[in-house]
Amino acid sequence: DAEITQSPRHKITETGRQVTLACHQTWNHNNMFWYRQDLGHGLRLIHYSYGVHDTNKGEVSDGYSVSRSNTEDLPLTLESAASSQTSVYFCASSERTGSRTDTQYFGPGTRLTVL
Amino acid sequence: GNSVTQMEGPVTLSEEAFLTINCTYTATGYPSLFWYVQYPGEGLQLLLKATKADDKGSNKGFEATYRKETTSFHLEKGSVQVSDSAVYFCALRSENFNKFYFGSGTKLNVKP
């Protein structure tokens, strides 16, 4: 079955370190998204991509970067981790058919703690 | 702009009670509307969706009707179970883009 996976599921790092969170989907979806989830804020969009070599900033992109070298993967990099980036991170993907029924499918999440 | 507002939680109900979680939206154009559910320690799962006015999405006993006149998409269930305890997110997909906008989530606790 097609799926979307994230790794690692849990990560503890120190302030100032570079961290990369992996996201891999096997649906061959064009669109991929990264969100962070914090208590009281719901889901906030960090970066998104509509296809290979395409990346766009979301509402909370400062301190994060992504690159899209193939259809399946959209890794999220924290250039210099800060305690404010302690959060749960979700990756999602969707088709790009233009259909009104297009749905986002979510990975299981990565819990990141920055000490 | 696009935004989703849903009722704050937590909502605590007894088993077999009626559930309503309110959701209203602001959107340019004609969005599609979704409800997602998140169980503890898991990612979001699609619960139901509706793509045009007066459409009713339904799944697992949950229902929501796309009301364009009131810009609402309230989630309902006639008889909740303990296993329905989760966080529920209302979301819209903008008409012109493949971006989703999520509400802040409503936590539901169902007691036996």
Side-chain angles (χ1 to χ4, degrees):
Chain A
D1 286 345
E3 60 178 357
I4 181 166
T5 58
Q6 295 183 235
S7 63
R9 294 295 311 277
H10 301 272
K11 175 77 175 178
I12 300 174
T13 191
E14 296 177 343
T15 301
R17 290 191 179 269
Q18 184 181 78
V19 176
T20 297
L21 309 183
C23 175
H24 179 81
Q25 52 96 4
T26 58
W27 279 301
N28 202 36
H29 284 167
N30 284 308
N31 305 330
M32 296 185 72
F33 307 82
W34 274 104
Y35 297 90
R36 60 178 288 174
Q37 183 180 33
D38 304 288
L39 197 61
H41 290 279
L43 290 169
R44 292 185 289 176
L45 183 63
I46 304 171
H47 281 286
Y48 58 101
S49 168
Y50 288 152
V52 177
H53 302 310
D54 175 75
T55 61
N56 306 278
K57 294 182 179 180
E59 62 179 306
V60 289
S61 60
D62 287 348
Y64 303 93
S65 64
V66 293
S67 62
R68 187 92 179 268
S69 59
N70 59 51
T71 300
E72 296 79 17
D73 299 290
L74 186 69
L76 176 71
T77 297
L78 287 67
E79 305 293 346
S80 177
S83 58
S84 60
Q85 294 176 308
T86 293
S87 187
V88 180
Y89 291 85
F90 288 100
C91 181
S93 72
S94 69
E95 293 180 293
R96 193 181 184 183
T97 64
S99 167
R100 297 182 61 78
T101 61
D102 282 353
T103 300
Q104 283 197 358
Y105 299 92
F106 284 78
T110 294
R111 182 174 294 276
L112 176 67
T113 302
V114 182
L115 301 176
Chain B
N2 298 300
S3 66
V4 176
T5 303
Q6 58 183 107
M7 62 189 290
E8 289 193 21
V11 173
T12 301
L13 296 173
S14 297
E15 206 165 22
E16 298 184 2
F18 185 86
L19 168 71
T20 299
I21 299 178
N22 291 335
C23 171
T24 57
Y25 68 90
T26 302
T28 53
Y30 202 174
S32 298
L33 301 173
F34 302 78
W35 277 101
Y36 282 82
V37 58
Q38 183 182 32
Y39 298 104
E42 299 184 9
L44 279 70
Q45 303 173 24
L46 178 68
L47 181 58
L48 53 84
K49 61 186 176 185
T51 60
K52 60 183 186 294
D54 300 324
D55 264 4
K56 177 184 285 187
S58 62
N59 186 27
K60 300 180 180 179
F62 291 89
E63 295 182 341
T65 301
Y66 189 148
R67 301 288 188 198
K68 196 172 190 316
E69 65 276 11
T70 56
T71 63
S72 64
F73 193 55
H74 305 320
L75 182 68
E76 296 181 336
K77 187 176 186 182
S79 176
V80 295
Q81 306 300 312
V82 172
S83 57
D84 294 327
S85 297
V87 180
Y88 292 82
F89 290 90
C90 185
L92 71 83
R93 174 183 173 276
S94 61
E95 181 179 21
N96 298 319
F97 302 96
N98 282 300
K99 288 173 65 177
F100 276 59
Y101 298 83
F102 288 85
S104 57
T106 302
K107 185 173 184 179
L108 171 66
N109 295 317
V110 181
K111 297 184 175 181

